[in-house]
Amino acid sequence: MKYRIVAACAAASLAATALLTGCGSSDGDGGDGPAASGPVSLTYWAWAPGLDKVADIWNKGEGKKAGIKVTVKKQASGDDLVTKIITAAKAHKAPDLVQAEYQALPTLVSNDVLADISKEAGDVEDRFAEGVWQQATVGSAALYALPQDSGPLMFYYRKDLFEKYGLSVPATWDEFAATARALKSKAPDKALTTFSSNDSGLFAGLAQQAGAKWWTTVDDEWKVAIDDPATRKVASFWGGLVKEGAIDNQPMYTPAWNKALNTGKQIAWVSAVWAPGTLTTAAPDTAGKWAMAPLPQWTAGENVTGSWGGSSTAVTNDSQHKEAAATFAKWLNTDPTALAALVKESGIYPAATAAQTGGALAKPPAYFANQPDFYTEAAKIAKGTAPAAWGPNVNVAYSSFKDNFAKAAKNRSDFAPALTAMQDATLADLKKQGFGVSE
């Protein structure tokens, strides 16, 4: 998703503390009045379906005991919510809680929207994979949200067609490339998969797996490392396969892509744990013919994956009841009853490791009924989620990716210039916004 920076901290040299804790006043007049004035009422802006039903469980149980009532107000996701929450915060009228995708956290922090809840909720760190927790801290000692759901990457393939063409499931990226070439040799009209210039989030996850950290802070400045060795390796790998015609070069999430999956013209897909839902719609005729495996590794024997998607529950600086809001956020994302309800009502893959198997996830997705250990294997993969390093202008980087990689993929040309253009655009925008930048 793309995110706009509606208001950036425009100091020429941004102090590290301001960078990670915000640059405005935190004594707003939002919230529901003094905490001592009776039962606490909290407002939660979110887009995930069914969160109001999960909040009702809280309100009738733990919330009633604690005197804390939560009201969910449904919002649009992505740009719309980020813009709306920043605008509300500038007027000191932000809600108590907000659902925020991990990529948006640095933007919200830079605009002084989110509160540090490390004292109230930092004691649950061990409930989450290290790489997922790190995204909620924005790489600092603070804690700006609690992980809610995650999207670890994995490999999906047509089991029947792999058997038909004598292909083995690739354990490494070298094997992945060899598999793509072998399929082309045996069935020239088919492709293992495609490189999609529409999906910057997937590319970011693949770069994370390779060890990339696109945004980091150095003293009082941001450092951008999109055009780094790890990402260059990923870009070169996929660009090479596109250039030689070993894989397709068309974007995903189009009628043509759906048809390619549904007819077996493409027989594999690198995607996240939520892929079964997409496949159900995109390739309904192939249900039960797919299988899931770990993402191919750069080094044989490792268990490292990236992530594509995922969101968190954050408390705002405007809330007059930060402790109560943090208490609800902890319950929502760590309590077994709440997590089971999130899976059932919201259809998420929980970030809390204890909830990734058994219970509501005891059975595989209906589309993968032939793979009963789907979620058991997914949980093992998720443990190896590499940390992601997001910055305050993810929207600019993602937009540049789509523009430059689309041209390179269409022309089957070298991906390196596209990556350099992505780096340059992101760096230039940070400077334009007034952030301190380390070259």
Side-chain angles (χ1 to χ4, degrees), residues 99-110:
Q99 182 182 7
E101 291 189 279
Y102 298 118
Q103 306 99 297
L105 291 176
T107 299
L108 295 174
V109 170
S110 296

Side-chain angles (χ1 to χ4, degrees), residues 193-216:
T193 189
T194 188
F195 176 84
S196 177
S197 58
N198 277 358
D199 295 281
S200 37
L202 173 57
F203 184 74
L206 292 170
Q208 290 160 22
Q209 186 210 23
K213 291 182 175 61
W214 285 357
W215 288 268
T216 53

Side-chain angles (χ1 to χ4, degrees), residues 157-423:
Y157 65 100
R158 281 283 299 272
K159 190 174 181 180
D160 58 332
L161 296 181
F162 262 58
E163 292 174 355
K164 177 179 178 179
Y165 295 113
L167 305 175
S168 299
V169 179
T172 66
W173 287 114
D174 283 344
E175 291 177 6
F176 179 94
T179 301
R181 295 178 186 120
L183 176 64
K184 271 294 173 189
S185 175
K186 296 176 180 180
D189 62 325
K190 297 185 182 296
L192 181 65
T193 189
T194 188
F195 176 84
S196 177
S197 58
N198 277 358
D199 295 281
S200 37
L202 173 57
F203 184 74
L206 292 170
Q208 290 160 22
Q209 186 210 23
K213 291 182 175 61
W214 285 357
W215 288 268
T216 53
T217 53
V218 179
D219 296 325
D220 60 348
E221 298 175 321
W222 283 102
K223 182 175 178 62
V224 179
I226 292 174
D227 193 6
D228 69 332
T231 311
R232 282 198 294 270
K233 177 170 67 173
V234 174
S236 175
F237 175 82
W238 287 91
L241 291 177
V242 168
K243 192 172 185 178
E244 69 177 83
I247 62 173
D248 199 0
N249 63 342
Q250 300 301 308
M252 300 188 295
Y253 298 107
T254 65
W257 178 73
N258 290 348
K259 184 177 180 181
L261 292 181
N262 200 37
T263 60
K265 189 174 181 180
Q266 286 184 27
I267 69 170
W269 184 27
V270 174
S271 188
V273 69
W274 41 258
T278 301
L279 288 170
T280 300
T281 302
D285 297 340
T286 61
K289 296 180 180 179
W290 290 77
M292 179 271 285
L295 195 66
Q297 301 293 302
W298 288 106
T299 302
E302 289 189 344
N303 176 35
V304 183
T305 192
S307 57
W308 184 8
S311 63
S312 64
T313 310
V315 177
T316 72
N317 275 321
D318 279 351
S319 177
Q320 296 295 303
H321 309 291
K322 293 183 180 66
E323 186 174 350
T327 298
F328 170 75
K330 281 177 64 174
W331 175 87
L332 181 66
N333 297 300
T334 63
D335 182 86
T337 300
L339 291 167
L342 281 173
V343 173
K344 179 184 177 183
E345 304 294 348
S346 302
I348 70 161
Y349 183 70
T353 55
Q356 290 174 350
T357 56
L361 296 180
K363 294 182 179 179
Y367 195 90
F368 283 80
N370 61 313
Q371 191 171 359
D373 65 347
F374 182 95
Y375 285 118
T376 302
E377 291 304 305
K380 292 177 184 177
I381 294 168
K383 287 180 180 178
T385 303
W390 303 112
N393 62 341
V394 173
N395 61 316
V396 173
Y398 277 17
S399 178
S400 178
F401 170 86
K402 291 178 181 180
D403 290 343
N404 291 286
F405 278 81
K407 296 172 186 173
K410 182 179 180 180
N411 298 331
R412 297 188 184 276
S413 60
D414 190 357
F415 280 9
L419 189 62
T420 300
M422 187 178 168
Q423 163 87 16

Side-chain angles (χ1 to χ4, degrees), residues 40-231:
V40 171
S41 292
L42 304 176
T43 301
Y44 181 19
W45 285 6
W47 73 83
L51 273 177
D52 53 337
K53 296 179 181 178
V54 183
D56 284 344
I57 296 173
W58 161 265
N59 291 333
K60 294 173 182 177
E62 295 301 315
K64 189 173 183 180
K65 295 176 189 175
I68 302 169
K69 182 181 179 181
V70 176
T71 300
V72 176
K73 292 192 175 180
K74 192 74 178 287
Q75 307 292 324
S77 61
D79 273 357
D80 292 338
L81 180 55
V82 174
T83 300
K84 186 175 180 179
I85 191 70
I86 291 175
T87 302
K90 288 181 72 66
H92 297 301
K93 293 183 178 179
D96 299 277
L97 298 131
V98 63
Q99 182 182 7
E101 291 189 279
Y102 298 118
Q103 306 99 297
L105 291 176
T107 299
L108 295 174
V109 170
S110 296
N111 283 280
D112 199 27
V113 175
L114 306 184
D116 175 7
I117 55 172
S118 54
K119 291 182 180 178
E120 295 84 358
D123 59 338
V124 296
E125 179 177 356
D126 62 351
R127 312 282 185 92
F128 305 91
E130 183 180 352
V132 174
W133 181 264
Q134 183 269 345
Q135 295 189 77
T137 68
V138 194
S140 72
L143 177 65
Y144 293 105
L146 281 175
Q148 182 166 298
D149 57 286
S150 63
L153 292 174
M154 43 202 65
F155 180 69
Y156 295 89
Y157 65 100
R158 281 283 299 272
K159 190 174 181 180
D160 58 332
L161 296 181
F162 262 58
E163 292 174 355
K164 177 179 178 179
Y165 295 113
L167 305 175
S168 299
V169 179
T172 66
W173 287 114
D174 283 344
E175 291 177 6
F176 179 94
T179 301
R181 295 178 186 120
L183 176 64
K184 271 294 173 189
S185 175
K186 296 176 180 180
D189 62 325
K190 297 185 182 296
L192 181 65
T193 189
T194 188
F195 176 84
S196 177
S197 58
N198 277 358
D199 295 281
S200 37
L202 173 57
F203 184 74
L206 292 170
Q208 290 160 22
Q209 186 210 23
K213 291 182 175 61
W214 285 357
W215 288 268
T216 53
T217 53
V218 179
D219 296 325
D220 60 348
E221 298 175 321
W222 283 102
K223 182 175 178 62
V224 179
I226 292 174
D227 193 6
D228 69 332
T231 311

